[in-house]
Amino acid sequence: MMRNFKLLAAVLLIAAGCGRAVQEDIVLDFNVSEPVSGEVVLVVHDKISTVSLDQDGKARIVLEGYEAAYARLFYGREFKWIYIEGGDHAAVSFNGNDFDSSFAYDGEKGEAVNYLNTITLTALPDEDYALPFDEYLAKVRKKEQEAVKLMKANGLGKAGNFETLEEGRIRYSYATLLLMHPIGHMMMTGQPGYEPDEFYYDTIDSYLDAGPLYAVLDEFRSFAAEAAHVLDEGNRNVSALYPKTLAQMRFISDRFSDEETRNTLLHYLAAAYVDSYGTDDITDMENIYRTYVKDEAMLAEFEAKCDRWDRSTPGKPSPALSGVDVDGKTWTLDDFKGKYVYIDMWATWCAPCRREMPFLKELHKQFEDAAIVFLGLSTDGDRDKWKEMVQSGDLTGVQLYLGPQSGFQKAYNIEAIPRFILLDRNGVIISNDMTRPSDPATAETLNALEGIR
């Protein structure tokens, strides 16, 4: 259960942003010595900003519309937490060969940033799940109080609104442990038929009375969404994702009288569903969403998420791409007109991607004289590692570098690789989630394409 908590905590400690009023821009200037990767990536809530370093290792990211934000700053696969507020202008510096220990944040929220990267919330021992809920609740609240006391002892009162929001982040990070108590109790006691009493449900419900202050926190949003499932007796056992999400949205619509909190939670659920599962058969969800959510920024974001799926559905022209080969030549999809295109989205660090490579080579051999191009698109952050692998001879077909979070990747809503896509001879999508080279069905599908041989 400790591992479960750590995994959930990693998910919950995602950035939280707020745009209730027009805010001053947040400016982050980067200075990277001895860079080993040519870009820095900032993740704020579910929004990803990627910026390339110039020849001197410098870059700037400007964020608009945030009152406050927890964010993760990635360099390669390592990251640091930062906290920023509207109007902040901070300088971030580090050595590319030693990101972790050389990281420095020079700005008004520097002490808060240091705290976030120094202090880690810890779970209760696994065996505590065997306790009755009232005793477990007391232990969780004690952990919460200890974490808040420690946070305030760091003297962060001058770091804007950080202390207030951090107290909420701590509260709802630990509240998640309460949601996990029934299943944890069953596992630790060996009582599969355990059912929580009304005190459990009343306690969970009491945590929803936070008001709009904490609605900007993903910790609260995640807790509230799952609490809606736990508290909705008629739909508590619904597990299929769309019916569950729909039930959560209906419960939230009835439970929250505060408009800002209600609409933020509805947006959180609907946007996350569309992001992952698309727009097929979501009329009931849209009806609830559009009835309550009137915030222009939320509506625009939701429409953009829906539009991305619409642009990548089979039967529509593929979103454009622009990639470079190892010689620096730029290629687009127009270069492959007249041939089918089997696209492999991959990266050098991705083990499942590498496992497919021998199968892809064999597939290419089978269709060597056919009217099809096998196109590899790298999402690597480290261009040199990609180039080294291309030159190793382990790959096949046309190999291009796109980099992480390219427009092409975003247009197809690709969050996990490898991902395979099949286009017809005019660049129209046949499949936006094609079978892998290792699947015998792939060769059968390609052989059945009209005019491929």
Side-chain angles (χ1 to χ4, degrees):
M1 296 301 293
M2 177 70 77
R3 288 178 60 193
N4 288 343
F5 174 74
K6 289 180 178 177
L7 176 61
L8 190 52
V11 174
L12 291 178
L13 298 184
I14 298 295
C18 172
R20 287 175 289 172
V22 175
Q23 301 297 327
E24 293 182 69
D25 291 350
I26 297 168
V27 180
L28 297 175
D29 285 319
F30 297 90
N31 185 4
V32 182
S33 60
E34 301 182 40
V36 294
S37 175
E39 27 184 50
V40 290
V41 179
L42 190 72
V43 181
V44 183
H45 193 33
D46 62 347
K47 299 177 180 63
I48 300 171
S49 300
T50 302
V51 62
S52 297
L53 300 172
D54 65 17
Q55 61 184 7
D56 297 318
K58 299 181 185 301
R60 169 175 284 190
I61 290 179
V62 179
L63 302 173
E64 300 177 352
Y66 289 96
E67 180 180 332
Y70 287 84
R72 289 175 298 168
L73 172 64
F74 284 87
Y75 188 67
R77 302 185 72 179
E78 296 183 280
F79 77 91
K80 292 284 189 180
W81 286 104
I82 66 173
Y83 174 79
I84 41 185
E85 293 183 359
D88 280 358
H89 190 159
V92 179
S93 61
F94 54 87
N95 184 294
N97 288 303
D98 189 13
F99 173 75
D100 186 60
S101 50
S102 66
F103 177 85
Y105 185 94
D106 183 11
E108 291 183 11
K109 309 305 184 298
E111 291 181 345
V113 171
N114 181 63
Y115 159 85
L116 286 173
N117 291 294
T118 304
I119 304 299
T120 303
L121 301 182
T122 58
L124 292 169
D126 291 354
E127 54 268 25
D128 283 355
Y129 279 109
L131 295 171
F133 179 70
D134 58 343
E135 295 180 33
Y136 185 75
L137 174 63
K139 287 205 167 192
V140 169
R141 286 182 170 165
K142 184 178 180 182
K143 289 286 287 185
E144 176 193 335
Q145 291 163 4
E146 289 171 348
V148 170
K149 181 179 179 180
L150 195 63
M151 180 268 292
K152 291 188 174 180
N154 276 269
L156 304 172
K158 295 181 179 179
N161 293 317
F162 179 76
E163 271 200 356
T164 301
L165 287 177
E166 181 62 10
E167 190 166 351
R169 187 182 74 88
I170 292 169
R171 176 172 174 77
Y172 287 99
S173 294
Y174 280 110
T176 299
L177 294 177
L178 304 179
L179 289 171
M180 295 168 62
H181 180 265
I183 189 170
H185 190 74
M186 285 189 281
M187 292 175 65
M188 295 304 299
T189 62
Q191 299 176 5
Y194 171 75
E195 290 286 345
D197 59 18
E198 285 305 308
F199 177 65
Y200 169 81
Y201 294 111
D202 289 344
T203 301
I204 297 300
D205 187 72
S206 70
Y207 275 80
L208 296 180
D209 296 323
L213 176 64
Y214 292 149
V216 301
L217 294 170
D218 266 8
E219 290 78 7
F220 173 75
R221 298 177 189 182
S222 298
F223 173 86
E226 191 56 31
H229 181 60
V230 167
L231 295 171
D232 186 1
E233 186 174 358
N235 293 288
R236 198 173 287 160
N237 295 320
V238 173
S239 58
L241 269 190
Y242 181 69
K244 177 183 176 180
T245 303
L246 200 59
Q248 288 170 300
M249 290 179 68
R250 286 173 174 149
F251 182 90
I252 286 167
S253 299
D254 294 334
R255 171 62 176 80
F256 289 92
S257 57
D258 176 73
E259 183 177 322
E260 183 178 337
T261 305
R262 180 192 65 214
N263 295 355
T264 297
L265 293 174
L266 292 177
H267 178 74
Y268 171 80
L269 283 164
Y273 182 88
V274 168
D275 249 352
S276 298
Y277 302 101
T279 56
D280 291 344
D281 302 318
I282 63 167
T283 302
D284 287 332
M285 174 188 290
E286 287 190 285
N287 287 341
I288 297 172
Y289 183 87
R290 297 185 191 284
T291 296
Y292 294 103
V293 180
K294 305 300 181 185
D295 181 270
E296 291 184 5
M298 289 183 184
L299 288 168
E301 182 182 343
F302 185 71
E303 293 297 343
K305 291 178 183 295
C306 292
D307 182 58
R308 283 200 297 271
W309 279 95
D310 289 342
R311 288 189 290 136
S312 62
T313 53
K316 293 195 173 183
S318 173
L321 72 83
S322 178
V324 295
D325 62 20
V326 289
D327 298 318
K329 178 185 175 183
T330 299
W331 297 68
T332 70
L333 286 177
D334 287 340
D335 293 308
F336 309 112
K337 283 287 180 70
K339 292 188 176 183
Y340 293 97
V341 184
Y342 183 80
I343 296 173
D344 171 18
M345 298 287 292
W346 70 285
T348 56
W349 49 262
C350 168
C353 301
R354 297 174 76 115
R355 284 197 294 269
E356 291 296 323
M357 289 175 182
F359 296 99
L360 186 58
K361 263 192 168 182
E362 181 59 34
L363 191 67
H364 191 185
K365 284 183 182 179
Q366 293 180 43
F367 291 87
E368 203 162 18
D369 299 322
I372 186 168
V373 173
F374 291 87
L375 176 61
L377 301 178
S378 167
T379 66
D380 276 285
D382 190 329
R383 188 167 175 173
D384 289 336
K385 286 186 178 179
W386 163 78
K387 185 179 289 187
E388 181 181 332
M389 189 157 184
V390 173
Q391 293 171 337
S392 72
D394 292 334
L395 305 177
T396 192
V398 178
Q399 294 293 331
L400 304 179
Y401 179 80
L402 295 187
Q405 298 301 321
S406 65
F408 186 80
Q409 181 177 344
K410 291 177 182 177
Y412 275 95
N413 295 280
I414 296 173
E415 296 183 353
I417 53 174
R419 174 75 168 268
F420 298 90
I421 298 165
L422 180 61
L423 309 181
D424 75 8
R425 289 179 289 185
N426 295 308
V428 174
I429 302 167
I430 296 176
S431 174
N432 58 17
D433 193 7
M434 181 64 178
T435 51
R436 297 185 177 194
S438 57
D439 188 336
T442 302
E444 294 175 11
T445 299
L446 299 184
N447 270 318
L449 294 173
E450 183 180 354
I452 193 169
R453 295 188 188 274

